[in-house]
Every structure is written in structure tokens, then in C-alpha cells.
């Protein structure tokens, strides 16, 4: 069986340490690939620290994988040895239910449901382990092909941060003539700004401070607002057709909804640990819409990669080694990352 060197955490308050895990031999339609880079998503942190509820330890997180195919099963047609491939938040689903047929495999209603890349039980009955590891075996249908125009290191964060912002921006009509606000400019947010601008929308960033304003404008925003300046949300009342919130901790939803034009939509993708309050009047007055959005299906993720390649969009990354993961988690929580940490697995030894 192929062995992978991985970084695992063993409790909500634990620290990441190096370990070894077994991967399965690829079956006829499966692919074994070397994970070269893995992004650190804030969801990894919420999960590893038990903020969304109990998880199974030891936990190897990572759902932003980019790598190179090492071995393919006899019936694999989608990729060949040496190809650049990626994996996002899930590695399997039933393939037959209404959701899978519609290309929203992340909502699979089949017997095992969507099999998440980590902290789930795979088809083989074993726990899944994510991208903070040197290799992984995945069913070919759950792989993305990485376009040649996108560097492997920049492809990794697109597997979650890219698709999670691309999907709602497309679904809710970001484009020419639309005023779009991205709330929170971290890993997801900085991709959201670039994608919304590439779709032709007029883009505003709503951040906690002005410390990232220059970057926001470089990513394509024409307006930038800071929540720590008094009266910011009041001054933005009735301004936007669409707002996408990527905020990872607490949000003043009532006030944010007030920043929508009548009939406008606020789509939340952020998943804070604690519940958020909402005054219903903010929703009812002006026929405003509050929606959620969870990642995207395989076909849509592939479409997002082609879109990024065509428009020259890519995350701004900081490459780190395995020993830096603990420190990186603290910096992400403190909004100090610019704008995605990507782990280089060649440092695993
Ligand atoms: P991130 O890089 O930490 O970015 C989150 C941003 O939220 C920060 O950069 C900050 O923006 C803002 N923020 C943090 N604390 C805040 C507070 N107390 N008040 C106001 N704003 C605050 O995280 P990420 O990886 O982009 O993920 C963002 C969220 O989306 C997480 O909750 C994650 O679990 C979730 N997520 C959801 C999906 C999905 O499918 N829906 C997929 C991936 C991730 P500024 O620095 O600009 O203020
Ligand atoms: Zn993620």
C-alpha cells in the first residue's frame, strides 16, 4: 500500500505533528497522485479546533489539493501519469441521486452521502484523510484537471476558495451593471474580488480595517470600506445588488442586509462558530434576499478553473512548510495571512 507522510492534529487544542498514513492502491477507475501543495482554508481550522462540533482525531485536514498523477487504474480515462490534478472538499458521492445527476455532488442524497475529503468514511470503509499529506488515492470523477496556465501552487486554493466564491457570483448574476460587495478579504474574499471584477461587476470590499485597501484595489475593487470607521454601513444603505459574505466570525447581518438595494441578495459563505442574530425587518423591508452557498460541484469547479486560466486570475499565496502549520492557523484567525497559506509537501521529509 502507498504510504503518505502527513501532518495530523490529535485534539481541538492539540498541535500538528508529522505522521505516516496508508493510502489504498488505486482501483480500476482510481488515481494515485502526489500532493505537491495543499492550501489552508479557514474551514480546516474550524474543523480541527472542534468549532463546528466533534470530529475524529487524529485528523489530517486539507481540501485544497494540487499535485501530479503518479499511478492510474486500468480503466482511467480522465487523466494520465504526469498530469496536474486537483481535489477539493469531497472525494466521492453516489453519482446517481438527483443532486449528483444535477452536478451538485456536494449535496448527494445517496446511501453514503457526499464523502468529504477528510473526517468522513470512504467507500473502502476507512477514514478519509486530507491534503496535508504527500499522496492520495481518489476516484477519477472527483479530480479536476489543472489548466497549464495555472501554476500548481496557485491552483491549490482554487479548489475551495475559488469555487466557493465563483459559484454564488455566477448564480446570483454578478456582471456588468451590477454593484457587488465582498465582505471579508481573506482567502475566499480575495478570490471573490478578482472573480466579480472579471465578470464585469463594479466591486466593493467591506473589510474590518483599511490595512488591505491597496491590495483590494489591485485585485479589482473600485471601492473599499472599513467596518472600524464609524457609520460605514449606515453610509452604504441601499447600495448593492449583491453582497457575498466570507466572514469567519460574527456578522452584523441586520446592518449588512440594509446595504442591499430593494430585491438585492446577501449570500453568506462564511461559517462562524457561533450563531448570528438577525432582525427580520431587515429582510422583509425591500424584499431582500438572504441565501447561503456551499462550494460547488465537480463540473462547476472545472469551469471555474478554465475561467481563472482565461482571465489570468490566481490567489496570492504564502508558501510554508509542514512545521509552520500551527503558526499559520493562528495567523489566519488573526487575519494576518496574505491571502492563502499553501503547504509545500516537499518539506515533509
Ligand atoms: P479567512 O482567510 O480567515 O478570511 C475570513 C475573513 O473574514 C478575514 O480575512 C476577515 O476579513 C473577516 N473576518 C474575520 N473575523 C472577523 C470579524 N470578527 N468581524 C468581521 N470580519 C471578520 O477565511 P477563509 O478561508 O476565506 O474562509 C472564510 C469563511 O468561509 C470561514 O468561516 C470558512 O469556514 C468558510 N468557508 C465556507 C465555504 C462554503 O462552502 N460555504 C467554503 C470554504 C470556507 P478582513 O481581514 O478583510 O476584515
Ligand atoms: Zn475550504
Amino acid at each position: 500500500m502507498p504510504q503518505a507522510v502527513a501532518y495530523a492534529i490529535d485534539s481541538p487544542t492539540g498541535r500538528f505533528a508529522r505522521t505516516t498514513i496508508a493510502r489504498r492502491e488505486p482501483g480500476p477507475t482510481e488515481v494515485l497522485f502526489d500532493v505537491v501543495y495543499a492550501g489552508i482554508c479557514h474551514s480546516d481550522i474550524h474543523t480541527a479546533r472542534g468549532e463546528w462540533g466533534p470530529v475524529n482525531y487524529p485528523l489530517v485536514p486539507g481540501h485544497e489539493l494540487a499535485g501530479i498523477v503518479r499511478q492510474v487504474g486500468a480503466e482511467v480515462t480522465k487523466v494520465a501519469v504526469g498530469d496536474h490534478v486537483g481535489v477539493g472538499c469531497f472525494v466521492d458521492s453516489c453519482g446517481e441521486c438527483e443532486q449528483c445527476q444535477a452536478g451538485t455532488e456536494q449535496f448527494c442524497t445517496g446511501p453514503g452521502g457526499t464523502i468529504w475529503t477528510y473526517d468522513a468514511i470512504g467507500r473502502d470503509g476507512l477514514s478519509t484523510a486530507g491534503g496535508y499529506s504527500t499522496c492520495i488515492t481518489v476516484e477519477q470523477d472527483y479530480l479536476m484537471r489543472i489548466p497549464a496556465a495555472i501554476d500548481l501552487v496557485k491552483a491549490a486554493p482554487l479548489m475551495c476558495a475559488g469555487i466557493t466564491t465563483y459559484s454564488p457570483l455566477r448564480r446570483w448574476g454578478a456582471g456588468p451593471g451590477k454593484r457587488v460587495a465582498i465582505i471579508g478579504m481573506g482567502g475566499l474574499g480575495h478570490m471573490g474580488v478578482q472573480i466579480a471584477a472579471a465578470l464585469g461587476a463594479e466591486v466593493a470590499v467591506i473589510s474590518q480595517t483599511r490595512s488591505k485597501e491597496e491590495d483590494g484595489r489591485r485585485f479589482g475593487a473600485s471601492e473599499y470600506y472599513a467596518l472600524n470607521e464609524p457609520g460605514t454601513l449606515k453610509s452604504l444603505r441601499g447600495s448593492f445588488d449583491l453582497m457575498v459574505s466570507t466572514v469567519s466570525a460574527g456578522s452584523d447581518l441586520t446592518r449588512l442586509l440594509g446595504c442591499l438595494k430593494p430585491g438585492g441578495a446577501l449570500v453568506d459563505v462564511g461559517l462562524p462558530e457561533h450563531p448570528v442574530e438577525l432582525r427580520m425587518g431587515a429582510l422583509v423591508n425591500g424584499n431582500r434576499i438572504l441565501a447561503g452557498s456551499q462550494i460547488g460541484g465537480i463540473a462547476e469547479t472545472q469551469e471555474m478553473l478554465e475561467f481563472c486560466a482565461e482571465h489570468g486570475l490566481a490567489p496570492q499565496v504564502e508558501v510554508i512548510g509542514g512545521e509552520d502549520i500551527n503558526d499559520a492557523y493562528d495567523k489566519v484567525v488573526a487575519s494576518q495571512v496574505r491571502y492563502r497559506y499553501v503547504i509545500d509537501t516537499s518539506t515533509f521529509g
Side-chain angles (χ1 to χ4, degrees):
M1 281 216 294
Q3 299 285 306
V5 183
Y7 272 79
I9 188 166
D10 62 6
S11 78
T13 54
R15 291 178 66 75
F16 280 92
R18 197 163 58 155
T19 184
T20 306
I21 57 174
R23 297 298 196 180
R24 60 178 182 270
E25 282 294 342
T29 56
E30 291 187 324
V31 172
L32 170 67
F33 75 90
D34 291 310
V35 180
V36 183
Y37 296 107
I40 294 181
C41 176
H42 206 125
S43 297
D44 296 345
I45 304 174
H46 292 306
T47 308
R49 295 184 170 174
E51 293 175 7
W52 292 339
V55 292
N56 292 304
Y57 298 101
L59 179 81
V60 178
H63 57 219
E64 293 186 336
L65 292 69
I68 302 174
V69 175
R70 188 202 299 180
Q71 190 185 331
V72 297
E75 292 162 28
V76 168
T77 52
K78 187 168 178 176
V79 295
V81 171
D83 284 0
H84 286 190
V85 294
V87 159
C89 293
F90 57 94
V91 288
D92 213 344
S93 68
C94 82
E96 281 160 19
C97 71
E98 189 182 343
Q99 296 298 330
C100 287
Q101 290 290 314
T104 44
E105 301 91 345
Q106 71 273 35
F107 309 131
C108 174
T109 57
T114 307
I115 311 290
W116 305 107
T117 305
Y118 57 83
D119 197 34
I121 301 297
R123 233 180 239 189
D124 53 12
L126 301 174
S127 300
T128 58
Y132 302 1
S133 65
T134 52
C135 67
I136 188 170
T137 304
V138 181
E139 175 67 31
Q140 63 172 342
D141 291 344
Y142 298 84
L143 288 174
M144 265 58 71
R145 288 181 299 263
I146 296 174
I150 305 177
D151 290 347
L152 215 45
V153 66
K154 303 228 169 186
L158 297 178
M159 299 301 153
C160 176
I163 184 59
T164 301
T165 47
Y166 178 84
S167 184
L169 286 166
R170 288 304 299 257
R171 190 172 336 115
W172 290 94
K178 295 290 163 100
R179 209 170 157 201
V180 175
I182 304 291
I183 310 159
M185 201 175 76
L188 268 55
H190 93 294
M191 283 314 305
V193 173
Q194 295 183 62
I195 292 167
L199 288 168
E202 209 178 299
V203 186
V205 173
I206 302 178
S207 181
Q208 293 173 95
T209 69
R210 286 201 178 269
S211 62
K212 308 179 193 172
E213 178 164 4
E214 213 177 294
D215 292 340
R217 293 186 185 276
R218 179 163 49 83
F219 295 141
S222 52
E223 302 165 60
Y224 203 97
Y225 302 99
L227 291 168
N228 69 347
E229 293 172 3
T232 293
L233 293 184
K234 202 168 166 191
S235 73
L236 289 172
R237 271 195 203 145
S239 296
F240 301 107
D241 297 285
L242 174 64
M243 301 173 83
V244 176
S245 173
T246 72
V247 170
S248 55
S251 267
D252 190 345
L253 269 191
T254 301
R255 289 224 168 158
L256 287 172
L257 280 165
C259 298
L260 289 170
K261 293 180 186 175
L266 168 58
V267 186
D268 181 79
V269 297
L271 288 161
E273 176 180 6
H274 302 294
V276 170
E277 246 183 29
L278 168 61
R279 189 177 285 273
M280 287 303 164
L283 199 57
V284 171
N285 302 338
N287 292 3
R288 295 182 170 95
I289 300 162
L290 176 61
S293 191
Q294 187 181 15
I295 48 174
I298 297 295
E300 195 180 25
T301 305
Q302 190 66 50
E303 176 190 306
M304 174 276 307
L305 288 170
E306 310 298 342
F307 180 86
C308 289
E310 187 186 328
H311 293 268
L313 312 184
Q316 180 175 323
V317 302
E318 295 188 60
V319 179
I320 61 168
E323 290 301 317
D324 305 322
I325 297 171
N326 295 299
D327 186 43
Y329 269 36
D330 292 337
K331 287 183 172 155
V332 171
V333 172
S335 298
Q336 285 168 5
V337 56
R338 300 289 184 272
Y339 282 86
R340 199 57 136 189
Y341 286 117
V342 175
I343 305 163
D344 175 354
T345 67
S346 73
T347 62
F348 287 13

